[in-house]
Amino acid sequence: MRVVIQRVSGASVKVEERNYLSETGKGLLVLAAFIDSDTEADLEWIAKKITALRVFDDENGVMNLSVRDVGGDIMVVSQFTLYASTARGNRPSYIRAAKPDTAIPLYEKFCSLVEGYLEKSIGKGIFGADMKVSLLNDGPVTIIMDSDIRE
């Protein structure tokens, strides 16, 4: 599993053809991609890490607080392109990304885990839809995590 985490002042995702809008306030926007070998342990590790990352300022202006500590929101949007391979040619290959029959249950389980660790509902995209994601990056603070690397 691979995620890009962005600290945001606010974020939204819109899917016009389905008349869908999800919005969050101060918190984290998480772009998430999955591969066939992802396990529940991978999902749990990243979900727990995301909700505990100390990327928000404390009273001294030091990034020492988590999204839970500041009562922030989280939005999770699926993005298979995080597994793009650009090794050959100029057209990215997405062969490593999990197909929908595998990725959708992983995405849904991951969102459920994040909600559990955050102890409140999260914003979500619609898997496989053509989404318009807007965000106001705060900092900017952007962190990349991969369950296969765990650094």
Side-chain angles (χ1 to χ4, degrees):
M1 179 178 183
R2 187 173 290 164
V3 295
V4 173
I5 305 155
Q6 295 180 300
R7 186 178 74 182
V8 298
S9 295
S12 67
V13 62
K14 186 173 185 178
V15 182
E16 291 182 20
E17 65 270 11
R18 297 187 192 175
N19 198 26
Y20 176 84
L21 178 67
S22 180
E23 296 179 295
T24 62
K26 176 181 178 177
L28 302 173
L29 171 64
V30 179
L31 305 175
F34 306 91
I35 55 175
D36 289 338
S37 61
D38 284 332
T39 66
E40 188 164 334
D42 294 321
L43 305 180
E44 286 180 7
W45 182 77
I46 288 185
K48 191 173 186 178
K49 276 290 202 187
I50 287 170
T51 56
L53 281 176
R54 298 185 322 180
V55 295
F56 293 89
D57 291 349
D58 63 15
E59 65 279 354
N60 298 314
V62 177
M63 284 197 290
N64 204 26
L65 301 173
S66 72
V67 67
R68 284 191 318 244
D69 296 332
V70 300
D73 296 323
I74 294 179
M75 177 178 288
V76 178
V77 176
S78 62
Q79 188 173 345
F80 73 94
T81 61
L82 294 179
Y83 275 106
S85 172
T86 57
R88 297 179 59 188
N90 293 320
R91 183 175 179 201
S93 169
Y94 305 106
I95 196 75
R96 285 196 64 211
K99 303 294 182 266
D101 61 327
T102 300
I104 290 171
L106 291 170
Y107 173 72
E108 290 172 354
K109 178 65 177 176
F110 178 67
C111 288
S112 176
L113 288 167
V114 172
E115 286 180 331
Y117 287 120
L118 188 61
E119 298 178 345
K120 68 179 185 177
S121 295
I122 63 169
K124 301 174 192 167
I126 297 178
F127 190 94
D130 180 20
M131 297 176 276
K132 306 302 181 209
V133 180
S134 298
L135 69 135
L136 182 56
N137 201 320
D138 182 17
V141 173
T142 302
I143 296 170
I144 300 170
M145 294 176 61
D146 191 311
S147 61
D148 286 341
I149 299 172
R150 297 194 187 203
E151 53 179 28

